[in-house]
Amino acid sequence: MNETETEEVRSLLGRAVDGVPAPAGRGAEAVFTRAARLRWRRRAAVTGAVAAVLAGGVLLGSGALPGDGQGAPVAASPTGGGLGTGADGFAKLLPEDVGDLSEVSLMRLIKQAPDAQLPEDVGPYDGDYAVERDGGVGYLTVRAYGAKEAKLKGTLQDPCALADEDTGMTDCTTEKLPDGARLSLWEWTYADDGGQPQWGPELTASLRLKDGTVLRLRDTAGFLGQGSQGPLLKEFPLDRDQLRELALKPELLP
């Protein structure tokens, strides 16, 4: 797989986007959505997120489940270092009872590669955050896109237009805000087909501003397998209303 193809998979299914554009247009997105679904089932090196209009994460490596797949305690799992100190500021934007928050790299955790290159941040709180609560560990991922990158990747379109059984999206809603921005929220549930890692259910928010800026938030109950920091949360780190509120906070924008 060449560099461009790797980045296509990253933008379609990953949790971080570097800089190579995915093909724009609904037709291309639909094709890549279905192709990405097949790659997930074949245990390719992905996280199993959504397609180009749903992008917002990191490219993850495949690997066998260590031991019983329940993962090590949070403190024992390496984040790989090299991260900023955004967790303190980000925590102030969350409900007080969300749980213990720490900044991590999902890519480095799952690939067990402490020196893996991280994507370039656009927004002030871009990155992955582990949420430890009630004996489980979930994750919040923040990723902003400038207008040019968002347009090239086709992320300005309505994600709910692709909500069907092939994409795995459910309960997708889009609302137009008073300032002309559009906010979409949807749920994503991964099929338990033996893939690695094993992801819990997820909520996603996509805010598309009039100037073309796009903000993506991913709210997942966690994962099991290589690099897991603990059992899945019984609920999302943030419920749907809380995720909507977070997505509207201007502090997350570039």
Side-chain angles (χ1 to χ4, degrees), residues 14 27 39 47 51 61 89 126 129 133 137 139 145 178 205 229 237-238:
R39 285 189 178 93
T47 64
D126 281 4
Y129 301 86
R133 185 176 70 210
V137 182
Y139 298 92
Y145 304 90
Q229 293 182 300
L238 300 178

Side-chain angles (χ1 to χ4, degrees), residues 13 32-44:
L13 294 168
F32 275 82
T33 298
R34 287 157 177 78
R37 191 68 172 158
L38 291 175
R39 285 189 178 93
W40 169 257
R41 291 172 178 170
R42 292 169 185 171
R43 303 183 186 183

Side-chain angles (χ1 to χ4, degrees), residues 40-137:
W40 169 257
R41 291 172 178 170
R42 292 169 185 171
R43 303 183 186 183
V46 295
T47 64
V50 284
V53 296
L54 320 178
V58 299
L59 180 67
L60 303 177
S62 60
L65 283 169
D68 60 6
Q70 294 304 306
V74 175
S77 296
T79 63
L83 297 168
T85 57
D88 290 342
F90 185 59
K92 296 177 181 178
L93 305 178
L94 304 176
E96 292 183 358
D97 59 352
V98 67
D100 294 331
L101 192 75
S102 59
E103 192 175 8
V104 299
S105 164
L106 287 172
M107 177 172 66
R108 290 178 175 180
L109 283 172
I110 294 177
K111 292 180 71 69
Q112 294 292 282
D115 297 325
Q117 183 176 359
L118 300 178
E120 182 178 353
D121 294 338
V122 175
Y125 293 109
D126 281 4
D128 305 311
Y129 301 86
V131 177
E132 185 180 10
R133 185 176 70 210
D134 300 330
V137 182

